[in-house]
Short mmCIF file of all heavy atoms in Angstrom, two decimals:
data_model
loop_
_atom_site.label_atom_id
_atom_site.label_comp_id
_atom_site.label_asym_id
_atom_site.label_seq_id
_atom_site.Cartn_x
_atom_site.Cartn_y
_atom_site.Cartn_z
N LEU N 266 18.50 6.69 -4.56
CA LEU N 266 18.14 8.11 -4.72
C LEU N 266 16.67 8.32 -4.39
O LEU N 266 16.32 9.30 -3.72
CB LEU N 266 18.43 8.56 -6.14
CG LEU N 266 18.04 10.01 -6.49
CD1 LEU N 266 18.88 11.00 -5.68
CD2 LEU N 266 18.20 10.27 -7.99
N ALA N 267 15.82 7.40 -4.86
CA ALA N 267 14.38 7.55 -4.60
C ALA N 267 14.08 7.57 -3.11
O ALA N 267 13.29 8.38 -2.62
CB ALA N 267 13.61 6.44 -5.30
N LEU N 268 14.72 6.66 -2.36
CA LEU N 268 14.48 6.63 -0.92
C LEU N 268 15.03 7.89 -0.26
O LEU N 268 14.38 8.48 0.62
CB LEU N 268 15.10 5.39 -0.29
CG LEU N 268 14.87 5.28 1.23
CD1 LEU N 268 13.38 5.15 1.55
CD2 LEU N 268 15.64 4.10 1.82
N GLN N 269 16.22 8.31 -0.65
CA GLN N 269 16.80 9.52 -0.07
C GLN N 269 15.90 10.72 -0.28
O GLN N 269 15.64 11.50 0.65
CB GLN N 269 18.18 9.78 -0.68
CG GLN N 269 19.26 8.80 -0.25
CD GLN N 269 20.55 8.98 -1.03
OE1 GLN N 269 20.59 9.65 -2.08
NE2 GLN N 269 21.62 8.37 -0.54
N ARG N 270 15.41 10.87 -1.49
CA ARG N 270 14.55 12.03 -1.79
C ARG N 270 13.20 11.89 -1.09
O ARG N 270 12.61 12.88 -0.66
CB ARG N 270 14.36 12.17 -3.30
CG ARG N 270 15.65 12.53 -4.04
CD ARG N 270 16.18 13.88 -3.59
NE ARG N 270 17.43 14.22 -4.24
CZ ARG N 270 18.66 13.98 -3.73
NH1 ARG N 270 18.75 13.38 -2.54
NH2 ARG N 270 19.73 14.34 -4.38
N TYR N 271 12.70 10.65 -0.98
CA TYR N 271 11.42 10.47 -0.29
C TYR N 271 11.57 10.84 1.18
O TYR N 271 10.70 11.53 1.75
CB TYR N 271 10.89 9.05 -0.43
CG TYR N 271 9.50 8.96 0.16
CD1 TYR N 271 8.38 9.18 -0.63
CD2 TYR N 271 9.30 8.75 1.53
CE1 TYR N 271 7.11 9.17 -0.09
CE2 TYR N 271 8.03 8.75 2.08
CZ TYR N 271 6.95 8.96 1.26
OH TYR N 271 5.69 8.99 1.81
N MET N 272 12.62 10.39 1.83
CA MET N 272 12.79 10.67 3.26
C MET N 272 13.01 12.17 3.50
O MET N 272 12.55 12.71 4.52
CB MET N 272 13.93 9.85 3.84
CG MET N 272 13.68 8.33 3.79
SD MET N 272 12.06 7.82 4.46
CE MET N 272 12.28 8.31 6.18
N ALA N 273 13.68 12.83 2.57
CA ALA N 273 13.84 14.28 2.69
C ALA N 273 12.48 14.96 2.56
O ALA N 273 12.17 15.91 3.30
CB ALA N 273 14.80 14.79 1.62
N PHE N 274 11.65 14.47 1.64
CA PHE N 274 10.29 14.99 1.52
C PHE N 274 9.50 14.75 2.79
O PHE N 274 8.82 15.65 3.30
CB PHE N 274 9.59 14.34 0.33
CG PHE N 274 8.09 14.45 0.35
CD1 PHE N 274 7.47 15.65 0.08
CD2 PHE N 274 7.31 13.35 0.69
CE1 PHE N 274 6.08 15.76 0.14
CE2 PHE N 274 5.93 13.44 0.73
CZ PHE N 274 5.32 14.65 0.46
N SER N 275 9.60 13.52 3.32
CA SER N 275 8.88 13.19 4.55
C SER N 275 9.29 14.11 5.71
O SER N 275 8.42 14.59 6.46
CB SER N 275 9.15 11.73 4.95
OG SER N 275 8.55 11.41 6.18
N ASP N 276 10.57 14.38 5.82
CA ASP N 276 11.05 15.22 6.91
C ASP N 276 10.57 16.66 6.80
O ASP N 276 10.61 17.42 7.78
CB ASP N 276 12.58 15.19 6.97
CG ASP N 276 13.12 13.86 7.45
OD1 ASP N 276 12.34 13.08 8.02
OD2 ASP N 276 14.33 13.61 7.24
N SER N 277 10.11 17.04 5.59
CA SER N 277 9.62 18.40 5.40
C SER N 277 8.13 18.54 5.65
O SER N 277 7.60 19.65 5.68
CB SER N 277 9.91 18.85 3.95
OG SER N 277 9.07 18.17 3.02
N GLU N 278 7.47 17.42 5.86
CA GLU N 278 6.02 17.43 6.04
C GLU N 278 5.63 17.74 7.49
O GLU N 278 6.30 17.29 8.41
CB GLU N 278 5.42 16.08 5.61
CG GLU N 278 5.42 15.88 4.11
CD GLU N 278 4.41 16.74 3.41
OE1 GLU N 278 3.22 16.41 3.43
OE2 GLU N 278 4.82 17.76 2.84
#
Side-chain angles (χ1 to χ4, degrees):
L266 177 65
L268 181 63
Q269 289 172 345
R270 294 298 178 265
Y271 187 91
M272 296 310 296
F274 162 73
S275 176
D276 289 344
S277 71
E278 287 289 282

